[in-house]
């Protein structure tokens, strides 16, 4: 299932906050944007956790494995904290998992991880723009900074690989 179809399935029209889809109409029964985006963030974190486990198992270079494991531990913290925030807000946290991606080459795996980090950065930036995120601003901002750090370390690995140094 493609990411877009998956989002449409679990979050309906609100997926347009992340991925533009044809209809922009929101149904009256749909949760507020803060709750919907936090649930997308949780699903995304779960997908990233599974993806990092898979990729660190497929990759044999110790330094890269260590980095992916460290990223994965951060994503666990993020997923659990956003879950706690939704409970505090009286909402139901999702247990849906964004479809993890895999591949056969180191380059492809790292590219997928960078794509995941880009999506996480986009999501947390959108959440921070919502007035409801004010109460959790420092925490969510720190998540955004971690995602940016994950991305920059992965980009370093990818460029080292392209230059034949990884
Ligand atoms: Fe994360
Ligand atoms: Fe991340």
């Amino acid at each position: 299932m493609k990411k877009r179809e998956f989002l449409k399935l679990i979050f309906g029209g609100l997926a347009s906050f992340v991925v533009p889809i044809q209809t922009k109409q929101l149904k009256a029964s749909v949760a507020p944007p803060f709750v919907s985006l936090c649930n997308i963030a949780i699903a995304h974190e779960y997908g990233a956790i599974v993806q990092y486990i898979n990729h660190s198992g497929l990759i044999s270079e110790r330094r890269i494995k260590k980095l992916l494991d460290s990223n994965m531990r951060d994503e666990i913290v993020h997923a659990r904290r956003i879950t706690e925030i939704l409970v505090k807000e009286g909402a139901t946290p999702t247990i849906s998992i964004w479809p993890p991606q895999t591949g056969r080459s180191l380059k492809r795996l790292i590219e997928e991880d960078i794509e995941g980090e880009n999506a996480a950065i986009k999501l947390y930036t959108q959440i921070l723009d919502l007035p409801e995120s004010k109460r959790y601003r420092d925490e969510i901002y720190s998540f955004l900074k971690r995602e940016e750090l994950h991305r920059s370390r992965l980009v370093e690995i990818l460029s080292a690989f392209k230059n034949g140094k990884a």
Side-chain angles (χ1 to χ4, degrees):
M1 186 186 291
K2 288 193 174 149
K3 281 183 186 172
R4 184 173 296 196
E5 290 163 5
F6 171 79
L7 278 171
K8 212 169 167 182
L9 183 73
I10 58 170
F11 299 111
L14 274 156
S16 63
F17 278 90
V18 179
V19 181
I21 53 174
Q22 281 175 346
T23 175
K24 291 253 176 205
Q25 284 183 339
L26 304 181
K27 288 178 191 158
S29 59
V30 166
F34 180 73
V35 170
S36 298
L37 281 180
C38 282
N39 265 327
I40 294 173
I42 293 171
H44 195 275
E45 295 288 2
Y46 287 155
I49 291 162
V50 173
Q51 188 168 310
Y52 277 132
I53 292 170
N54 174 262
H55 293 191
S56 66
L58 291 172
I59 292 170
S60 54
E61 287 83 351
R62 198 186 262 193
R63 186 176 62 93
I64 303 176
K65 268 173 137 38
K66 234 174 127 183
L67 173 71
L68 302 188
D69 280 348
S70 154
N71 288 0
M72 182 205 63
R73 282 193 294 275
D74 282 347
E75 317 305 16
I76 291 173
V77 172
H78 299 167
R80 187 166 46 215
R81 187 56 193 140
I82 302 288
T83 297
E84 287 168 350
I85 287 173
L86 285 189
V87 170
K88 241 178 167 177
E89 292 292 314
T92 305
T94 189
I95 51 166
S96 299
I97 304 178
W98 187 289
Q101 308 296 306
T102 191
R104 287 172 179 267
S105 71
L106 173 71
K107 181 174 169 281
R108 184 67 206 130
L109 296 175
I110 301 299
E111 283 170 349
E112 286 164 353
D113 293 336
I114 292 171
E115 280 169 27
E117 296 299 342
N118 281 334
I121 289 164
K122 195 173 169 189
L123 262 172
Y124 287 124
T125 303
Q126 286 173 320
I127 291 173
L128 283 167
D129 280 345
L130 296 172
E132 300 94 319
S133 71
K134 215 173 162 189
R135 236 185 297 177
Y136 310 103
R137 200 184 152 71
D138 290 351
E139 274 183 294
I140 297 172
Y141 184 73
S142 76
F143 297 170
L144 173 65
K145 292 285 131 189
R146 291 307 286 181
E147 309 301 8
E148 287 174 352
L149 182 67
H150 296 166
R151 177 177 64 183
S152 68
R153 287 175 175 165
L154 289 164
V155 167
E156 263 174 47
I157 288 176
L158 190 63
S159 49
F161 176 77
K162 283 178 178 168
N163 296 327
K165 291 177 193 158

